[in-house]
Amino acid sequence: MKIYGALEAGGTKMVCSIGNENCEVLERISIPTGYPEDSIPEIINYFRSREICALGIGSFGPLDLDRKSRTYGHITSTPKPGWENYPLLPMLAEALDVPAEMDTDVNAAALAEIKMGAARGLRSCLYVTVGTGVGGGVIAEGNLVHGLVHPELGHMLLRPAEGDPTPDGFCPYHKGCLEGLAAGPAIEKRWGVSAKDLPDDHIAWKVESEYLAQMCVNAIVAFSPEKIVLGGGVMHKMHLFPMIRKRTQELLGGYVRCSMITEKIDEYIVSPGLGDNSGVTGALLLALEAEKNAR
């Protein structure tokens, strides 16, 4: 049996997994995201000991995904100490001597959801993770969207929500952007309580659903995905989904006259079909692609 490696490179932890050609996860470990000199040797040792035949990486960013660039596969302008301009893909591919592919963590999750999850059979979808940060992966006409760099939906600018005592948010780069307003740390800073400890009837969730609904509306009118998948730790609060769906319809005001919006929105804005395995499954799919491209 061939063994494939999957790395979910996050700002707080590096999740290393192995799987088979059916993208079934066989094993996983978590390594704290310290400085590269601490984390990278552990990652290399793990995958080397499992004798993987290819590696897929879904990483936090921003990333250089331009294959013509001399810094292709590098993490670029991240504020994460020690990781700015770090050659993650070249470093791992060379050390492990295996084919490797890399994309953003949310693009990997979007790939998994359209191949095997909630958007299976469609040609386009948006996957958004709402957790420590907020990011979005876009698939349009069957292809992952990269463009000039890659989509950074977490930094779209939004209107203040009624009842928000901190309408500028907490992003170090922008006032009033989605991540600075709706990520888990923003919720905790705004209300002084972790999101997981807030009761369902707290005003925090009305504010949160307003911002996520604005994001959904912006996505619908900008690139018209056939499905919007919302994942990440904050979206474990399932009572958010009906609030987001209702507010999305209100904000659209009847302009987008499609039955998926007007009648079937419960099937349109959904949780991940792969649960918390969207990221690892996407990384395994990237590993399979790496092996295919190396033939």
Side-chain angles (χ1 to χ4, degrees), residues 189-238:
K189 288 177 182 177
R190 179 183 293 116
W191 306 109
V193 180
S194 172
K196 67 179 183 295
D197 296 324
L198 286 168
D200 290 357
D201 59 354
H202 196 283
I203 190 176
W205 302 118
K206 181 180 179 182
V207 171
E208 183 75 2
S209 62
E210 172 68 25
Y211 290 133
L212 294 176
Q214 286 188 41
M215 178 275 296
C216 289
V217 168
N218 289 340
I220 290 165
V221 299
F223 46 87
S224 198
E226 294 174 280
K227 186 86 72 175
I228 296 176
V229 182
L230 304 181
V234 172
M235 297 312 303
H236 289 170
K237 293 283 189 176
M238 297 303 293

Side-chain angles (χ1 to χ4, degrees), residues 89-104:
L89 175 63
M91 176 70 73
L92 294 178
E94 181 178 349
L96 295 168
D97 192 27
V98 296
E101 286 282 337
M102 179 181 186
D103 214 312
T104 64

